[in-house]
């Protein structure tokens, strides 16, 4: 079975996050070194894919990354997303909306960051924060965030209808692993900069976030924009599973080298 099939949230089903072991390694029985070697192969494949995607300039790839604080989004970007040529790839991090962003609808800033044809877009957090943190912190009335699931599905279907392939990865970590990573953030001077006082607040609301994620995964995993739940306590498995899913997506997108615009047979390069 492919990694995509193993880890996809089947549209219309409600995932039981408590039953998905964050330390699990579905689809892989090798060790860390074997996983890293495989990631290297996959990254080479992804780099080739991107060049073809760029040359073809007919379709786009959008990768949405969501996780709790400490979930490993930044690490995944560093280890796997860097396979893509920066010319042609844009990573957008979505933080607390600015005043101007708040004056617009919640998809405004997101739509502006979607990839054009031939491009890859990666969202480090996304419009899903508008049904996650916004819900948990009660930043808008329930009627407003509840309505957003359908808005999001409509938006993503619209992108898909416009040649954008959407892959949404939820990095699933355990409470214990989050604790270990936070402790490292506090103790290690090279990681301390990552610490934010908000990290503790989200940890306190652990159960509420699990519930909010479960709803988002259930309501918004669709055929045209599926969600994948990646067990992420092992960073090496997280990277492997994400790279496998991206490579499977790349093969399905199957970009083609374009035909030259003119007949090149008579072209002579002068000495
Ligand atoms: P980080 O990704 O750790 O740099 O943190 C970004 C912060 O922005 C997180 O605490 C998010 O919850 C927060 N954030 C992102 N999008 C929204 C949003 N739409 N509304 C409120 N907070 C958000
Ligand atoms: Mg943070």
């Amino acid at each position: 079975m492919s990694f995509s099939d193993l880890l996809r949230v089947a549209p219309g089903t409600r995932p039981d996050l408590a039953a998905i072991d964050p330390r699990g390694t579905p689809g892989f029985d090798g060790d860390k070194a074997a996983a890293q070697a495989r990631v290297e192969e996959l990254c080479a494949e992804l780099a080739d894919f991107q060049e073809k995607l760029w040359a073809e300039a007919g379709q786009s790839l959008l990768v949405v990354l969501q996780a709790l604080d400490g979930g490993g989004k930044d690490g995944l970007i560093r280890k796997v997303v860097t396979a893509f040529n920066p010319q042609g790839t844009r990573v957008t991090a979505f933080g607390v909306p600015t005043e101007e962003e708040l004056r617009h609808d919640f998809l405004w800033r997101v739509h502006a960051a979607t990839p054009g044809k031939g491009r890859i877009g990666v969202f480090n957090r996304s419009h899903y924060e508008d049904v996650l943190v916004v819900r948990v912190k009660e930043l808008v009335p329930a009627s407003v965030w509840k309505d957003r699931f359908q808005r999001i599905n409509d938006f993503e279907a619209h992108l898909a209808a416009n040649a954008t392939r959407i892959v949404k990865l939820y990095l699933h970590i355990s409470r214990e692993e989050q604790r270990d990573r936070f402790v490292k953030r506090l103790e290690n001077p090279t990681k301390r900069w990552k610490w934010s006082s908000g990290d503790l607040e989200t940890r306190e609301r652990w159960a509420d976030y699990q519930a909010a994620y479960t709803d988002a995964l259930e309501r918004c995993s669709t055929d045209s924009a599926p969600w994948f739940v990646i067990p992420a306590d092992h960073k090496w498995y997280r990277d492997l599973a994400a790279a496998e899913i991206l490579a499977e997506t790349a093969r399905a997108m199957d970009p083609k080298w374009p035909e030259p615009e003119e007949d090149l047979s008579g072209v002579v390069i002068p000495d």
Side-chain angles (χ1 to χ4, degrees):
M1 203 190 242
S2 68
F3 278 79
S4 302
D5 287 338
L6 270 174
L7 302 178
R8 181 188 297 106
V9 177
T13 64
R14 187 167 177 78
D16 181 2
L17 289 180
I20 301 176
D21 181 5
R23 297 189 66 77
T25 61
F28 190 73
D29 50 20
D31 60 6
K32 178 175 171 177
Q36 288 171 335
R38 176 74 182 139
V39 166
E40 217 170 292
E41 277 175 18
L42 290 164
C43 282
E45 182 182 343
L46 289 172
D48 289 345
F49 156 74
Q50 189 213 9
E51 193 179 358
K52 246 187 195 177
L53 185 80
W54 170 274
E56 179 194 62
Q59 43 184 339
S60 328
L61 173 63
L62 173 61
V63 184
V64 172
L65 301 179
Q66 283 290 157
L68 292 176
D69 292 295
K73 301 187 302 300
D74 297 296
L76 179 65
I77 290 170
R78 206 169 53 242
K79 299 282 191 46
V80 175
V81 173
T82 44
F84 299 130
N85 184 340
Q87 172 157 281
T89 307
R90 173 146 74 127
V91 179
T92 307
F94 291 97
V96 177
T98 63
E99 261 182 56
E100 187 184 23
E101 286 167 351
L102 283 174
R103 282 197 294 271
H104 290 82
D105 71 89
F106 78 104
L107 293 171
W108 180 71
R109 64 176 184 166
V110 179
H111 204 164
T114 53
K117 293 193 170 65
R119 310 296 175 102
I120 297 174
V122 179
F123 288 175
N124 181 346
R125 302 187 191 269
S126 66
H127 43 302
Y128 282 92
E129 292 293 332
D130 291 282
V131 291
L132 295 165
V133 65
V134 166
R135 164 180 174 174
V136 172
K137 288 170 90 172
E138 298 180 46
L139 301 179
V140 299
S143 59
V144 172
W145 62 255
K146 282 184 179 165
D147 179 60
R148 287 179 174 168
F149 296 120
Q150 189 58 46
R151 305 274 151 249
I152 289 174
N153 289 342
D154 291 345
F155 169 65
E156 292 177 351
H158 172 71
L159 296 179
N162 285 275
T164 301
R165 180 73 67 130
I166 305 169
V167 175
K168 301 180 293 195
L169 307 178
Y170 165 58
L171 311 181
H172 182 50
I173 56 163
S174 65
R175 200 168 154 75
E176 297 70 41
E177 180 67 18
Q178 190 195 48
R179 181 174 187 284
D180 287 352
R181 293 184 188 178
F182 280 178
V183 168
K184 286 202 181 89
R185 277 186 187 183
L186 290 173
E187 287 177 349
N188 183 339
T190 70
K191 298 197 169 177
R192 212 169 276 156
W193 62 273
K194 292 190 190 180
W195 177 259
S196 136
S197 53
D199 290 354
L200 272 191
E201 213 177 308
T202 48
R203 188 167 169 78
E204 272 166 23
R205 308 293 300 274
W206 184 272
D208 296 328
Y209 274 104
Q210 299 298 314
Y213 265 104
T214 301
D215 282 346
L217 295 167
E218 176 190 6
R219 298 290 306 279
C220 298
S221 192
T222 59
D223 286 326
S224 54
W227 267 112
F228 300 89
V229 177
I230 298 185
D233 273 13
H234 292 298
K235 295 173 180 173
W236 53 266
Y237 178 79
R238 169 201 77 200
D239 295 340
L240 172 76
E244 293 277 12
I245 290 169
L246 291 178
E248 285 163 12
T249 305
R251 286 170 216 144
M253 289 174 77
D254 193 21
K256 302 280 191 293
W257 297 115
E259 291 299 323
E261 282 169 21
E262 47 185 312
D263 178 11
L264 301 181
S265 58
V267 176
V268 176
I269 311 292
D271 288 335

